[in-house]
Amino acid sequence: MERWQNKVAVITGASSGIGAAIAKEFVMAGLKVVGLARRTHLMENHKMDLPSEKRSQFIAMYCDVSNPKSINDAFDLIIAQFGGVDVLVNNAGCGQADQLSTMNLDDAQKIVNTNIMGVVYCTQRAFKSMKDRHFDGHVILINSIAGHQFFPGVPLKLPAANIYSPTKFAITALTELYRQEFSGLGTKIKISSISPGVVDTDILLKDLREAAGDCMLQPEDVSKAVLFMLATPPHVQIHDMIIKPMGEVV
C-alpha cells in the first residue's frame, strides 16, 4: 500500500453500508478519502468514529450521482482542492421493492440513473483526471452477484427487485468495456469489479433479509476485499471478485 499513501480516493455512496466501510478502510490504510453522498451528516458522524489523528483524512462532500451537474460540481471541487483523483470507488446504488411490469417508471429511471449512469458520469471524470496527470490510478465498481445471474429474490415469491439486477448486469459489461478502453487509450489505469452476495446494509429488501437470516456478509467483509484489490502490484489487475457468505442459499 506504500504507493497509495496520501493519494486521493473518491468513494460514492459513502454515507452508509459498504461505502462507509470502504471509506474507513482506506483512511486507516493511509489514503485521503473524499466521500460523496447526499446525506453528508451521516458521513460527518462516521468521521467521528475514526481515530482523532485520522479524521482530517476524510472529507464529506455532497453529491447526487444521478445528477450530472451535481457530479461535475463535486469533481471540480475535488480537483481544485486536492489536484486530482487517484482512486474511484463507484459504490452508490439504489433499489426498491416493486414489479417492473407495473411500477412507476420514474422510480425505475431513478434506479437506472443511479446504478448505471452515475457510474458512467463519475468514471469519466476520474479517468480524465488520472489520464491528464499520467497517473496509473484504479477504478473499482461495486457490483453484485445479481450482475452475473438474474436474481429473482425470495424463492416462491413474486420477484420484487425489478430493474436492479439488469443494472448490475450492466456493471459487469462496463467492467470489460472499461478494461479494453483504458488499455486502448494508452493507460495503465486499472478497472476492477467486486460482486458481493447478500450484505447486511439498508438497501437489502425486507423479504430477502428475512430469508437470509444470519447468512449475510458485513460491509467490512467487502471493504477488506476492496482494499486487497487496491493493494495488488501494478502488473496485477483483479477483473471481478465474487464474495459470498458461507452457506448462502438465496
Side-chain angles (χ1 to χ4, degrees):
M1 290 297 295
E2 184 176 350
R3 71 190 183 102
W4 296 112
Q5 296 304 296
N6 294 312
K7 297 302 182 184
V8 178
V10 175
I11 302 172
T12 69
S15 61
S16 65
I18 293 172
I22 295 171
K24 181 178 181 180
E25 201 82 45
F26 279 15
V27 168
M28 296 305 295
L31 286 87
K32 183 181 293 291
V33 172
V34 180
L36 300 183
R38 293 174 298 171
R39 300 178 295 178
T40 55
H41 66 286
L42 293 183
M43 291 190 286
E44 293 293 348
N45 291 342
H46 294 315
K47 179 188 290 191
M48 300 311 295
D49 294 332
L50 294 166
S52 57
E53 70 275 12
K54 291 283 190 178
R55 291 171 189 165
S56 63
Q57 294 297 99
F58 181 69
I59 299 90
M61 193 174 293
Y62 177 87
C63 183
D64 177 355
V65 300
S66 69
N67 184 323
K69 183 181 185 305
S70 184
I71 290 173
N72 283 327
D73 289 346
F75 275 81
D76 286 347
L77 186 57
I78 292 166
I79 291 168
Q81 288 190 359
F82 306 112
V85 178
D86 303 313
V87 178
L88 171 66
V89 180
N90 280 301
N91 165 75
C94 70
Q96 69 175 61
D98 215 332
Q99 280 71 52
L100 188 58
S101 305
T102 56
M103 71 187 294
N104 185 308
L105 292 182
D106 288 341
D107 292 336
Q109 187 67 61
K110 178 183 176 182
I111 297 170
V112 170
N113 288 346
T114 302
N115 295 5
I116 301 177
M117 294 310 300
V119 171
V120 174
Y121 298 146
C122 292
T123 299
Q124 190 167 98
R125 288 301 308 265
F127 178 75
K128 185 178 188 305
S129 174
M130 296 171 191
K131 190 173 187 298
D132 287 351
R133 294 177 297 121
H134 305 287
F135 183 78
D136 298 337
H138 201 154
V139 176
I140 297 171
L141 311 182
I142 306 301
N143 197 344
S144 169
I145 57 167
H148 295 269
Q149 60 184 53
F150 173 66
F151 194 58
V154 179
L156 304 180
K157 284 195 174 185
L158 186 65
N162 52 80
I163 205 165
Y164 179 82
S165 190
T167 65
K168 291 302 183 178
F169 266 84
I171 297 303
T172 300
L174 283 171
T175 303
E176 176 59 17
L177 172 66
Y178 283 135
R179 186 189 70 80
Q180 295 188 25
E181 287 191 352
F182 291 179
S183 177
L185 290 168
T187 79
K188 293 184 178 179
I189 297 169
K190 294 185 184 183
I191 179 75
S192 298
S193 167
I194 183 166
S195 300
V198 178
V199 185
D200 185 9
T201 68
D202 55 12
I203 196 176
L204 188 61
L205 299 181
K206 180 181 177 181
D207 284 352
L208 188 54
R209 178 181 294 278
E210 291 175 354
D214 294 331
C215 188
M216 291 188 286
L217 296 169
Q218 295 303 310
E220 293 75 18
D221 299 322
V222 182
S223 68
K224 291 182 186 305
V226 170
L227 187 67
F228 174 79
M229 286 178 155
L230 186 66
T232 52
H235 70 285
V236 176
Q237 179 171 231
I238 295 176
H239 186 73
D240 191 14
M241 178 190 292
I242 294 177
I243 173 172
K244 303 175 72 172
M246 286 292 293
E248 182 176 89
V249 294
V250 296

